[in-house]
């Protein structure tokens, strides 16, 4: 047993229970099987840069990555190739010799501090013999990984560098940002500089696509006066535009230089100013009531937002209006 292994330590239940939930999402687990896992699974903490498995080593364990990144690589002559990138929520093992029957061809290294749950292959074999449901669960996991591996083999050989990168983005929804560019480039078998260029191009088309939404945003604010809804949220406005909240935030920041709240408040203040200058609103309504009409939920937020936009209080502003405007 290589000495770099820490002694056996059971994981905390708040960590192992979600892992068992992932397993049972592939098929029901009996309480006995869950308990057997709780008894035998161990925790593995890896510092960034340390090995989970070294090439040539016979691994007698399977792992589930709870947090962090594990990358597989192998070297051929002077060349080093990233063979897989594993992010949290995935299983990792020496693919060749999964049950400790042959040395691993790939080395597996933590690309950031990682936390894994391990299981001895002998325990897994024992589970197969003792709990029939474990066979079903493992069969389904392997079917899924087989499908993913096939997709990867096809996609990585086909298409342009951009298409390969698009495949990669689809294969790790929501997770891809955390993997270092150099690692992704090696995985997709392209130069780091090529990948940087593709990423930049995709960023700029995304910004252009977002800009196409500006007329719709204007429409939603002007005709539907969505800002007048008290406590309107970023989520509601993005739902109206049918885009994600982070895309809307990005658009507001890029185009207006404003965060969501300031953007909404600017519309509200413009609404108030419009009302004040157009008719004799103040004969019927107090200035506070006009603020509430505009969508502000209190006098203080109204006054603060007004000052931020116009540089003075609403009352001072009214005094600057000519009598004809009032
Ligand atoms: N990365 C690791 N891989 C395998 N076992 C580990 C690791 N880190 C700690 N261990 C523990 O080290 C133990 C060594 O003996 P066991 O095989 O009984 O069980 C092993 C695990 O409990």
């Amino acid at each position: 047993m290589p000495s770099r292994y820490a002694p056996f330590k059971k994981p905390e239940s708040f960590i192992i229970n979600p892992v068992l939930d992932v397993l049972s999402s592939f098929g029901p687990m009996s309480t006995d099987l869950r308990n057997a896992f709780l008894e035998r699974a161990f925790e593995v903490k890896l510092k960034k840069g340390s090995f989970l498995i070294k090439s040539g080593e016979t691994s007698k364990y399977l792992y589930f990555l709870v947090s962090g990144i594990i990358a597989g690589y192998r070297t051929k002559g002077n060349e080093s190739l990233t063979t897989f990138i594993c992010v949290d929520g995935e299983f990792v093992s020496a693919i060749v010799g999964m049950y400790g029957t042959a040395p691993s061809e790939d080395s597996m290294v933590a690309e950031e501090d990682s936390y894994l749950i391990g299981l001895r292959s002998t325990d897994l074999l024992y589970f197969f013999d003792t709990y029939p449901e474990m066979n079903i669960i493992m069969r389904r996991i392997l079917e899924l990984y087989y499908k993913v591996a096939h997709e990867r083999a096809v996609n990585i050989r086909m298409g342009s560098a951009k298409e390969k990168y698009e495949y990669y983005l689809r294969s790790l929804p929501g997770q891809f940002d955390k993997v270092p560019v150099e690692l992704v480039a090696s995985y997709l078998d392209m130069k780091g500089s090529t990948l940087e260029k593709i990423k930049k191009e995709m960023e700029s088309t995304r910004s252009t696509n977002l800009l196409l939404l500006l007329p719709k945003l204007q429409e939603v604010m002007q005709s539907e006066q969505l800002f007048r809804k008290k406590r309107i949220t970023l989520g509601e406005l993005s739902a109206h535009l049918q885009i994600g909240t982070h895309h809307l935030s990005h658009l507001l920041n890029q185009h207006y230089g404003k965060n969501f709240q300031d953007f909404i408040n600017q519309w509200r203040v413009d609404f108030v100013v419009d009302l004040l200058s157009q008719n004799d609103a103040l004969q019927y309504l107090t200035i506070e009531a006009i603020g509430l009409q505009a969508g502000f939920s209190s006098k203080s937020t109204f006054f603060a937002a007004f000052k931020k936009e116009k540089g003075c209080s609403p009352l001072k502003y009214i005094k600057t209006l000519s009598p004809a405007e009032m």
Side-chain angles (χ1 to χ4, degrees), residues 161 165 179-185 188 190-204:
Y165 181 56
V179 183
V181 174
E182 282 303 325
L183 188 62
V184 179
L188 297 176
M190 61 179 81
K191 285 193 191 134
S193 54
T194 311
L195 183 56
E196 286 286 9
K197 206 172 127 224
I198 294 172
K199 280 187 82 167
K200 280 215 181 87
E201 271 170 22
M202 286 176 72
E203 269 301 311
S204 65

Side-chain angles (χ1 to χ4, degrees), residues 46-49 67-70 88 109-114 178:
L46 288 184
K47 284 267 162 229
K48 180 176 173 169
S67 65
I69 304 176
I70 302 289
D88 43 79
V109 75
E111 290 292 330
E112 59 179 43
D113 289 356
S114 300
K178 67 183 228 180

Side-chain angles (χ1 to χ4, degrees), residues 1 5-9 42-44 46 52 61 63 120:
M1 178 69 52
Y5 289 166
F8 179 96
K9 185 170 182 292
F42 55 88
E43 70 166 31
V44 178
L46 288 184
L52 177 65
Y61 305 96
Y63 304 95
R120 297 180 197 96

Side-chain angles (χ1 to χ4, degrees), residues 67-251:
S67 65
I69 304 176
I70 302 289
Y73 73 89
R74 64 178 69 175
T75 43
K76 210 174 181 185
N78 291 335
E79 252 185 281
S80 171
L81 178 76
T82 302
T83 47
F84 66 84
I85 301 171
C86 187
V87 295
D88 43 79
E90 295 184 334
F91 297 91
V92 204
S93 74
I95 297 157
V96 175
M98 190 166 124
Y99 298 104
T101 46
S104 170
E105 290 189 26
D106 296 337
S107 287
M108 296 168 206
V109 75
E111 290 292 330
E112 59 179 43
D113 289 356
S114 300
Y115 185 100
L116 301 98
I117 304 276
L119 186 72
R120 297 180 197 96
S121 353
T122 46
D123 284 337
L124 181 67
L125 292 171
Y126 166 76
F127 291 173
F128 286 151
D129 285 343
T130 319
Y131 311 100
E133 70 269 31
M134 189 66 218
N135 294 279
I136 299 173
I137 292 171
M138 202 61 188
R139 191 196 79 216
R140 291 185 178 152
I141 292 173
L142 291 179
E143 280 167 2
L144 176 68
Y145 278 58
Y146 180 55
K147 188 173 145 242
V148 169
H150 177 67
E151 283 293 305
R152 185 163 63 214
V154 172
N155 279 287
I156 282 180
R157 284 166 59 204
M158 269 174 66
S160 62
K162 184 166 174 242
E163 281 163 337
K164 288 184 197 173
Y165 181 56
E166 281 169 348
Y167 152 73
Y168 165 74
L169 296 182
R170 282 197 307 280
S171 71
L172 282 185
Q175 300 251 36
F176 45 79
D177 271 347
K178 67 183 228 180
V179 183
V181 174
E182 282 303 325
L183 188 62
V184 179
S186 163
Y187 174 59
L188 297 176
D189 199 15
M190 61 179 81
K191 285 193 191 134
S193 54
T194 311
L195 183 56
E196 286 286 9
K197 206 172 127 224
I198 294 172
K199 280 187 82 167
K200 280 215 181 87
E201 271 170 22
M202 286 176 72
E203 269 301 311
S204 65
T205 34
R206 199 184 70 174
S207 303
T208 320
N209 290 342
L210 278 179
L211 288 179
L212 297 176
L213 282 168
L214 283 175
K216 195 166 170 198
L217 175 61
Q218 196 74 14
E219 154 92 16
V220 166
M221 299 306 275
Q222 213 147 39
S223 318
E224 298 181 33
Q225 299 198 321
L226 225 64
F227 59 88
R228 293 184 64 189
K229 186 165 187 257
K230 290 190 178 49
R231 284 180 273 278
I232 170 95
T233 62
L234 179 69
E236 280 172 85
L237 184 54
S238 9
H240 268 262
L241 297 169
Q242 293 172 324
I243 55 170
T245 49
H246 58 291
H247 282 143
L248 178 57
S249 284
H250 181 74
L251 178 67

